[in-house]
Amino acid sequence: MKLGIVGLPNVGKSTLFNSLTKAGAESANYPFCTIDPNIGIVPVPDERLKLLGDMYKSKKVTPATIEFVDIAGLVKGASKGEGLGNQFLANIREVDAIVHVVRCFVDPNVVHVDGSIDPLRDIETINLELIFADLEVVERRYAKVGKSARIDKTYAKEAELLEKIKAHLEGGNMAKSMEITDEDELALMKEYNLLTYKPVIYAANVSEDDLSDDGASNEMVGKVREFAAKEGSEVFVICAQIEQELSELDDDEKKMFLEDLGLTQSGLDKLIAASYKILGLMSFLTAGEDETRAWTIKIGTKAPQAAGKIHSDFERGFIKAEVVNYKDLLEQGSLSAAREKGLVGMEGKDYVVRDGDVILFRFNV
């Protein structure tokens, strides 16, 4: 999973990136301190892995990972090259979802690029830049397809779709708010890789005081939540400064620090939960003496395709999947004990994998 972090300058974007990835991206109180896109790969915290790894005495425990791409602070005109923005927009075309950091805190010591704090205006500024960038892509594609459509009628349908998308974007709308049911058109939409078609997770960056009630008393967070609900986006509340402090602690210290703040989850935990939810993802597990590992798949994936995540041969030569829920496996203490209790199922090609399944694949190639 690859997530692109965007936001205006000085909203806490690079501070958040640093704390999530410990990658040490430069963070300062002025725009454009992040000149190159910073990339960090973060393990997905998963208590199930540790417990299974301990049970099997695994030589290696491998969590699922998320790749974060931190893009330089965007400003008005970024799509036209203002503030070096255009080259950065290209960097997020390949991400699965966009994490949009929105400033919901007041601090006279941290300047705002527009001179005042207004999260909805900030969202609109970024969204317009994404729309303008997408319009360029659509227009370039239409210039090619339009010519071909005059010679080859098979291109006519795509030309018509591009005209619809262009009109929609020119109306100041995000591509994802278009109603498309035609399978061919949906496939084309995915192919265009439009920024405004990607799922969005808003990170409402608040002061430490607003963390304990998850931003419920912060009027600006309320506005962001209302806006996100209308477009089907996710929101999580974070204090980037606290996340940075957390990133410097070990696991036990982190737990104590969170408890002192009256919190049960770190910002990273919230972000991972939001990204899995919006992308429709989950994890199944494999466990043994050599390695215990988490594998990220789409909800609704069937056993052979899940096997293919491990190796293409597993999918090609799939015979059966031996499946047990991780809780049952831990309670019984071994796979053989779980088998004796009838808790292990032998599943075929139509089995839909569930979150927390521990699977042993049988295959032959």
Side-chain angles (χ1 to χ4, degrees), residues 91-339:
N91 292 320
I92 50 173
R93 288 230 175 259
E94 301 308 313
V95 301
D96 299 306
I98 291 171
V99 180
H100 186 159
V101 184
V102 188
R103 181 170 168 178
C104 295
F105 68 89
V106 178
D107 184 344
N109 298 314
V110 182
V111 297
H112 190 289
V113 74
D114 286 330
S116 62
I117 313 300
D118 182 345
L120 295 189
R121 178 201 60 209
D122 294 355
I123 288 170
E124 188 181 348
T125 298
I126 296 287
N127 283 354
L128 277 172
E129 293 312 315
L130 301 182
I131 287 168
F132 290 144
D134 279 352
L135 268 169
E136 278 187 38
V137 170
V138 170
E139 283 164 359
R140 277 201 307 271
R141 180 72 184 166
Y142 185 75
K144 287 180 186 175
V145 172
K147 283 179 190 172
S148 303
R150 287 195 287 273
I151 305 156
D152 183 348
K153 294 299 175 194
T154 56
Y155 286 97
K157 189 175 181 179
E158 184 179 358
E160 196 180 310
L161 172 64
L162 287 163
E163 283 172 3
K164 279 195 290 186
I165 298 169
K166 185 172 180 286
H168 190 76
L169 292 171
E170 284 174 341
N173 305 299
M174 307 288 271
K176 64 184 174 183
S177 65
M178 280 185 75
E179 279 191 36
I180 298 174
T181 52
D182 183 277
E183 290 296 325
D184 293 337
E185 290 188 345
L186 282 169
L188 283 168
M189 278 296 268
K190 285 176 187 168
E191 198 181 294
Y192 300 148
N193 227 351
L194 298 178
L195 297 170
T196 61
Y197 195 62
K198 294 183 185 295
V200 175
I201 304 159
Y202 292 102
N205 189 12
V206 301
S207 65
E208 184 183 330
D209 295 341
D210 287 329
L211 264 186
S212 56
D213 67 352
D214 203 34
S217 55
N218 184 313
E219 198 178 309
M220 291 182 281
V221 173
K223 287 179 180 176
V224 174
R225 282 185 168 135
E226 202 176 306
F227 180 87
K230 284 177 187 167
E231 65 170 32
S233 297
E234 290 288 317
V235 180
F236 73 103
V237 172
I238 197 164
C239 173
Q241 283 303 131
I242 291 292
E243 286 304 309
Q244 192 151 32
E245 290 176 43
L246 277 168
S247 72
E248 291 156 14
L249 305 175
D250 65 32
D251 288 346
D252 290 337
E253 289 172 328
K254 200 177 286 184
K255 197 175 176 185
M256 284 169 62
F257 187 37
L258 285 170
E259 282 171 5
D260 288 345
L261 292 168
L263 303 172
T264 55
Q265 283 183 305
S266 70
L268 176 60
D269 294 334
K270 288 183 191 176
L271 173 52
I272 288 167
S275 54
Y276 269 65
K277 184 178 175 186
I278 205 163
L279 292 169
L281 301 174
M282 64 176 202
S283 296
F284 75 91
L285 313 161
T286 52
E289 282 182 24
D290 286 335
E291 184 182 36
T292 291
R293 183 165 180 165
W295 304 87
T296 303
I297 54 170
K298 283 268 186 191
I299 291 168
T301 300
K302 291 187 176 178
Q305 288 69 49
K309 284 287 287 185
I310 300 172
H311 197 286
S312 56
D313 283 352
F314 283 31
E315 182 174 357
R316 196 157 48 91
F318 179 87
I319 300 170
K320 289 281 180 187
E322 206 168 352
V323 183
V324 59
N325 180 271
Y326 82 97
K327 284 182 183 171
D328 292 337
L329 181 55
L330 288 167
E331 277 172 18
Q332 299 307 317
S334 72
L335 188 61
S336 55
R339 276 197 201 105

Side-chain angles (χ1 to χ4, degrees), residues 70-88:
D70 178 35
I71 311 300
L74 298 173
V75 291
K76 279 177 189 165
S79 59
K80 303 295 179 195
E82 286 292 320
L84 312 173
N86 203 21
Q87 68 196 69
F88 300 120

